[in-house]
Amino acid sequence: MAAGAQAQGFFEGSHGTLTLRNYYLDRDYQDDGAKSEAREWAQGFILKLQSGFTPGPVGFGLDVTGLLGVKLDSSPDRSGTELLPVSASSGRAADEYSRLGLTGKIKVDKSLVQAGDLTLALPSALSSPSRLLPQTFRGTYLQSNQIDGLTLHTGYADRIAKRNSTNYEAMTVASPNGRFNGRATTSHMAFVGGDYAASPALTLKAHYMEVADLYEQGYLGALHKTPAGPGTLSTDVRAFFSDENGSADAGNVDNQHLSLQFAYGLGGNRFTLGYAHQLGDTATPYISGTELMGISETTMSSDYLNAKERMWQAIHDYDFAAAGIPGLSSRLRYVRGDHIELAALGATDRKERELQWEMGYVIQSGPLRNVGLRVRQSFYRNDFPTGAAFRDENQTRVLVTYSLPIW
């Protein structure tokens, strides 16, 4: 009983943080679509109040998350960046939007149960952090580290709060380019999985997720790191296996998504080469509003998950701390996909490509210490038919962040 007692109390172990996010997003479309641009600027406020746990072998706690987004610049002719909610009738973005998330939690030894508003980081369901405010789920989540080196995950969610939404709604499958029936909803999703650190150099992962009456998805992954000459070589293998589930309201789902990626770190440099191959008759499914943890996860203009697609990428990351400038980092990335099939648009053997660069800096000292600035830009082109979801564009994002500890 004493071994399982919590070290700190409900109030003694609590802390609060206010994060400010100033976000500018500009999509400059390069095709002949009806809308020539989507450009908005907004300010986000993310307040997190996290309690400790009550004393004893079973500790109880409560987390509160308050989210507020404020429009700084937008108009109906250029709304739709997903920084802000947009009226379907007028195309006008809301002046502000907010939501409150409550998460109860119970801790027993090395196991934690959370219920309420959830942030998930699962291979098949990553709560999207890529807009003004984070996306969350409503449900229950158990994480356990009772066995050394092994983290077990299991849970259930019945609703999603999207990154530009004020409320929970039923989950659907993402359906750009008409891949699936995007109108079909699910009553819930359930998941189970484990991450095992077999050694300091090797981590193995196995996960399964069921999105009731839409699809089910298994995942196997391995990450290995080893010294290689003067640097470190990382090998990353990921595989998703997807089929329809229950009444298959999303339509046919038949996909095997396989990827292999190598990264070599040397000094401040990190060089990455990756390849992903889609097998089966359909694209890789994922829940609308979330992200799939594939190797194309942080691309800006496409998801590179189309049916039959074969994608490769080359990335160079540099940490300028190696050159005596701590806090400054950069990335240059080229991504290309081909053999793409867009069945709903009657297109086969199509191609897409993207050149992306970014720079980030966190101020290290002075009155603005810990203020972060990140600039990202991509140049995306494809040969998809008119009406496709992913359009030729030049995209720019500017993000300024600052986290202020309250106590």
Side-chain angles (χ1 to χ4, degrees):
M1 294 282 283
Q6 309 304 318
Q8 295 178 306
F10 184 91
F11 294 105
E12 292 83 355
S14 67
H15 61 275
T17 305
L18 176 63
T19 299
L20 309 179
R21 289 169 60 90
N22 189 276
Y23 208 137
Y24 171 81
L25 197 154
D26 184 345
R27 293 182 183 270
D28 181 12
Y29 297 116
Q30 303 296 300
D31 55 18
D32 297 324
K35 198 170 211 175
S36 63
E37 61 183 355
R39 186 174 69 250
E40 293 179 305
W41 182 28
Q43 175 68 49
F45 301 87
I46 304 171
L47 176 65
K48 287 186 174 292
L49 307 177
Q50 297 177 297
S51 79
F53 293 91
T54 56
V58 179
F60 296 87
L62 176 67
D63 295 343
V64 179
T65 303
L67 304 174
L68 172 64
V70 179
K71 178 175 69 178
L72 299 179
D73 182 61
S74 178
S75 67
D77 61 327
R78 49 185 173 82
S79 62
T81 64
E82 292 188 86
L83 292 183
L84 301 160
V86 176
S87 167
S89 58
S90 67
R92 187 174 298 279
D95 291 332
E96 61 181 47
Y97 67 111
S98 62
R99 69 176 187 265
L100 179 68
L102 302 176
T103 308
K105 54 188 182 181
I106 303 173
K107 188 175 183 181
V108 181
D109 198 17
K110 297 180 181 179
S111 296
L112 176 67
V113 178
Q114 296 172 284
D117 196 61
L118 303 176
T119 298
L120 300 180
L122 303 169
S124 295
L126 172 65
S127 292
S128 177
S130 62
R131 290 298 188 274
L132 186 68
L133 302 178
Q135 170 265 313
T136 59
F137 294 90
R138 187 183 73 182
T140 303
Y141 179 27
L142 166 64
Q143 277 185 289
S144 177
N145 298 98
Q146 295 298 132
I147 302 173
D148 288 345
L150 177 63
T151 301
L152 297 176
H153 310 261
T154 187
Y156 171 102
D158 65 351
R159 290 292 186 271
I160 185 174
K162 294 187 176 180
R163 52 199 182 188
N164 62 338
S165 175
T166 61
N167 60 289
Y168 295 109
E169 57 189 88
M171 291 176 282
T172 61
V173 62
S175 187
N177 301 320
R179 298 170 180 173
F180 306 105
N181 176 12
R183 298 181 302 277
T185 60
T186 180
S187 61
H188 69 275
M189 73 166 186
F191 57 88
V192 63
D195 307 330
Y196 179 59
S199 71
L202 176 63
T203 300
L204 304 174
K205 297 186 177 186
H207 290 255
Y208 172 81
M209 187 174 77
E210 175 192 75
V211 184
D213 292 323
L214 299 185
Y215 71 93
E216 56 192 56
Q217 189 170 76
Y219 172 83
L220 296 173
L223 178 62
H224 183 259
K225 297 182 179 181
T226 185
T232 302
L233 177 66
S234 300
T235 303
D236 188 345
V237 181
R238 310 183 197 188
F240 296 87
F241 306 94
S242 307
D243 292 288
E244 58 263 23
N245 176 266
S247 56
D249 295 339
N252 180 42
V253 179
D254 174 31
N255 178 268
Q256 301 84 51
H257 176 98
L258 312 175
S259 66
L260 176 63
Q261 187 160 267
F262 298 99
Y264 187 69
L266 178 62
N269 294 283
R270 183 178 174 87
F271 304 94
T272 303
L273 288 175
Y275 176 76
H277 194 113
Q278 305 268 6
L279 300 170
D281 295 331
T282 70
T284 306
Y286 59 97
I287 296 170
S288 178
T290 70
E291 298 180 15
L292 188 86
M293 293 180 70
I295 64 172
S296 61
E297 172 199 334
T298 58
T299 52
M300 294 171 60
S301 298
S302 175
D303 58 15
Y304 298 90
L305 298 174
N306 298 288
K308 312 294 186 184
E309 184 160 12
R310 297 167 191 177
M311 183 275 279
W312 68 269
Q313 67 177 357
I315 305 172
H316 175 245
D317 294 298
Y318 188 69
D319 184 348
F320 284 82
I325 313 176
L328 181 64
S329 61
S330 70
R331 164 170 283 199
L332 182 64
R333 181 182 198 175
Y334 181 75
V335 189
R336 183 176 180 87
D338 56 23
H339 294 276
I340 296 168
E341 181 177 287
L342 305 173
L345 302 177
T348 58
D349 198 22
R350 299 304 170 104
K351 300 178 179 63
E352 59 181 343
R353 66 186 188 277
E354 182 176 347
L355 177 65
Q356 176 184 327
W357 71 268
E358 62 182 84
M359 293 286 293
Y361 182 62
V362 178
I363 297 174
Q364 302 294 295
S365 60
L368 296 180
R369 183 175 180 269
N370 293 330
V371 172
L373 171 66
R374 181 164 297 275
V375 179
R376 307 179 70 197
Q377 191 168 37
S378 73
F379 305 90
Y380 172 80
R381 301 292 184 270
N382 64 45
D383 62 357
F384 295 176
T386 301
F390 304 123
R391 300 171 55 187
D392 290 357
E393 67 172 16
N394 300 336
Q395 185 181 152
T396 302
R397 303 184 189 186
V398 181
L399 179 62
V400 182
T401 60
Y402 179 63
S403 290
L404 175 67
I406 301 173
W407 76 87

